[in-house]
Amino acid sequence: MGEAPAFLFDDLLKGSDNGVDFVYKDRETTTIVGKAKYVIGDYDDSALSIGVKVFNDSLGMWVYPTVLGTKPNLSSDLWTLPLGEDRVLMIKNGAITDDNLWFLEVDTPFVRQQKKILGSSNVVAWSKGVMGYAGKPIVISGPSGVGKGTLINKLMIEFPSMFGFSVSHTTRAPREKEVNGIHYHFTERAVMEKEIKDGKFLEFASVHGNLYGTSIESVEVVADAGKRCILDIDVQGAKAVRASSLDAIFIFISPPSCEDLEKRLRSRGTETEEQIQKRLRNAKGELDEGKSPGLFDHILVNDDLEACYKTLKNLLGLHESADNTNQSVRKKIGLPQVNSVSKVGSKIYLNSANADIGNASMNSFVLDVSSRKGGAPGRTRGLDLYPVYPFGGLANGFSKLS
Ligand SMILES: Nc1nc2c(ncn2[C@@H]2O[C@H](COP(=O)(O)OP(=O)(O)O)[C@@H](O)[C@H]2O)c(=O)[nH]1
Ligand SMILES: Nc1ncnc2c1ncn2[C@@H]1O[C@H](COP(=O)(O)OP(=O)(O)O)[C@@H](O)[C@H]1O
C-alpha cells in the first residue's frame, strides 16, 4: 500500500496553486522560475513543436532562448508548474504515454554547461519524462586498437534489448565495413562545426586529427528505446561527460602492453601506416590520462578477450548470459484528461475532468517526482505515476514503483 495523502482532496479542489498554469486552446502558459517568466506554448504559428520565450526581469524584455534537446510536439492543452529553481514540469493533456510529461530545464548543470559552451545566458533544454528506471549510461574509453569496439559488440550481441550504442558524429572517412548511421554519422567538418555552435552536441573533441562528437539526440534516441546507452569516446570526451550532468559509469580499457596494442592495430588492417603511427603516439598520453584520479570508475586490462569481457559483465551486474536482465522497469499508464493540478512537495496531484470526486474514483493520479534521475541530455527517469482514491490510498491493482 502506498502513502495515503490526507491533503489530496483539498489540493485537488484548490486546483491551480504553487505556480501551476493551464492552457486550453489558449496558446500559452506562464511559469515563474527565479527572476524569469517562462512562456510555453504554441504562440508561433509556423512551428511544429512547442515554443519557449522568456521574460527576463533584470533586462525587462522578452528573449527567445536556444532550446536544446528533442522538442515536444505542438499541443494547446497544457499544464506547467515550476519544479524547484531549475526546471518547469509540463503535462500535455491527453497525450500518449511517454509524450505527456516533459521537463524544461532552465538552470540544471547540463544547461549551465551548455551556456558556457555556447557563450550565451539564454539556453534551456527539454527532457522527456519516462516512468521507471533504465541503468546508467556507460562511457568506454581507451586507446585506439585496445578492443573497445570488440567488447561493446559482444555486449550488444549478448544483450540486444538492454544496450543501445550512442552513434557518434565524425569527420573521418568511413572504413570499408562501416555503415553511416550505424557505426558513425559521417559528416563534413563545416556541417559538424555549425551543429556544435547550435548546441546539438553533448561533447566533442579532436582525435587523431579528426572531429568526433556525441550529439544530444544520439543519447536521447537510446533512452527513448528504454535501453542503456553505451558511449565509445576518447578521454577528452570522457572528461567532458564527467563534467556534465550525465550520470554515467566510466570504464577505461587498457592494453596488456604497447607491443600488443601495436599488433592489434596492425592486424585490424583498417589504417594506413601514417595513421597507425599517429594512433600509437597518441596512445601514450591516453594511457597516462586514463589514470587521472577521479575520471574512470574502473580500469580493465584487455589481455585475454573472454576474461576481460567477463569482468566487464560482472561490473555491470550482468551475471546471466540470457538477455533477460533488462533493468529498464517501465510502467505504462495513460493519463486521463486532467482538469486540476496541484503540487505538494515532490508529489503532483492530477485530477481528471471525468472524476467523480464524491465516489472513489480512478481518475485521480499522483505523479511522484521524488526519485527523479537523469535529465537533459537524455531523459528524466524514475518518475512514478499511480492512481489514487480521493480519500487516500492506492487504487486497487496498482502498486507504487520504488
Ligand atoms: N570525444 C569523442 N571521442 C570519440 C567519439 N566517437 C569516437 N571517439 C573516439 O575517437 C577515437 C577514434 O575512433 P575511431 O576512429 O573509430 O578509431 P578506433 O578507436 O581506432 O576504432 C577513439 O578513441 C574513440 O573512442 C565521440 O563522439 N566523442
Ligand atoms: N583481447 C584481445 N586480444 C587480441 N586481439 C584483440 C583483443 N581485443 C580486441 N582484439 C582485436 O584488436 C583489434 C582492435 O580492436 P577494436 O575493437 O577495433 O579496438 P578499438 O575499438 O579500441 O579501436 C581488432 O582486430 C580486434 O579483433
Side-chain angles (χ1 to χ4, degrees), residues 96-98 100 131 331-336 365 384-387 398:
I96 52 157
T97 313
D98 280 3
N100 47 21
M131 297 296 143
K331 193 171 61 165
K332 299 214 170 207
I333 319 180
L335 263 184
F365 282 78
D384 195 6
L385 179 69
Y386 50 95
F398 284 88

Side-chain angles (χ1 to χ4, degrees), residues 167-208:
V167 181
S168 293
H169 283 61
T170 182
T171 59
R172 86 148 158 75
R175 292 174 188 151
E176 206 186 344
K177 290 191 179 145
E178 286 179 331
V179 180
N180 191 27
I182 294 189
H183 299 97
Y184 280 105
H185 298 289
F186 296 100
T187 176
E188 299 287 317
R189 183 174 280 267
V191 174
M192 190 162 162
E193 283 174 347
K194 161 91 173 59
E195 290 184 343
I196 289 170
K197 269 204 196 114
D198 290 344
K200 297 205 171 143
F201 281 80
L202 165 62
E203 62 77 33
F204 56 90
S206 174
V207 191
H208 315 315

Side-chain angles (χ1 to χ4, degrees), residues 334-347:
L335 263 184
Q337 198 74 16
V338 172
N339 81 328
S340 74
V341 172
S342 60
K343 175 173 162 285
V344 178
S346 56
K347 289 193 171 72

Side-chain angles (χ1 to χ4, degrees), residues 61-199:
M61 61 192 278
W62 287 104
V63 288
Y64 291 84
T66 301
V67 183
L68 304 176
T70 313
K71 299 173 183 68
N73 290 331
L74 273 186
S75 164
S76 49
D77 193 355
L78 301 174
W79 293 90
T80 56
L81 63 153
L83 271 191
E85 292 292 301
D86 60 2
R87 72 195 77 205
V88 174
L89 168 66
M90 180 179 86
I91 301 161
K92 281 172 79 177
N93 243 350
I96 52 157
T97 313
D98 280 3
D99 182 44
N100 47 21
L101 301 171
W102 289 81
F103 295 84
L104 181 72
E105 300 194 4
V106 302
D107 194 29
T108 57
F110 173 71
V111 168
R112 286 202 292 269
Q113 176 206 30
Q114 292 295 319
K115 282 178 181 171
K116 267 192 218 147
I117 293 174
L118 300 176
S120 161
S121 56
N122 297 314
V123 179
V124 295
W126 282 111
S127 172
K128 195 193 284 185
V130 286
M131 297 296 143
Y133 298 95
K136 285 184 190 185
I138 303 154
V139 171
I140 298 198
S141 285
S144 181
V146 75
K148 302 178 298 291
T150 308
L151 289 161
I152 292 170
N153 237 356
K154 283 173 83 64
L155 272 181
M156 309 274 278
I157 288 169
E158 192 175 353
F159 303 97
S161 68
M162 187 186 279
F163 296 105
F165 186 62
S166 154
V167 181
S168 293
H169 283 61
T170 182
T171 59
R172 86 148 158 75
R175 292 174 188 151
E176 206 186 344
K177 290 191 179 145
E178 286 179 331
V179 180
N180 191 27
I182 294 189
H183 299 97
Y184 280 105
H185 298 289
F186 296 100
T187 176
E188 299 287 317
R189 183 174 280 267
V191 174
M192 190 162 162
E193 283 174 347
K194 161 91 173 59
E195 290 184 343
I196 289 170
K197 269 204 196 114
D198 290 344

Side-chain angles (χ1 to χ4, degrees), residues 1 40 56 81 92 125 142 145 169 191 286 321 330 370 374 380:
M1 244 342 228
I40 296 174
N56 187 311
L81 63 153
K92 281 172 79 177
H169 283 61
V191 174
E286 288 167 311
S321 62
R330 308 180 90 215
S370 59
T380 301

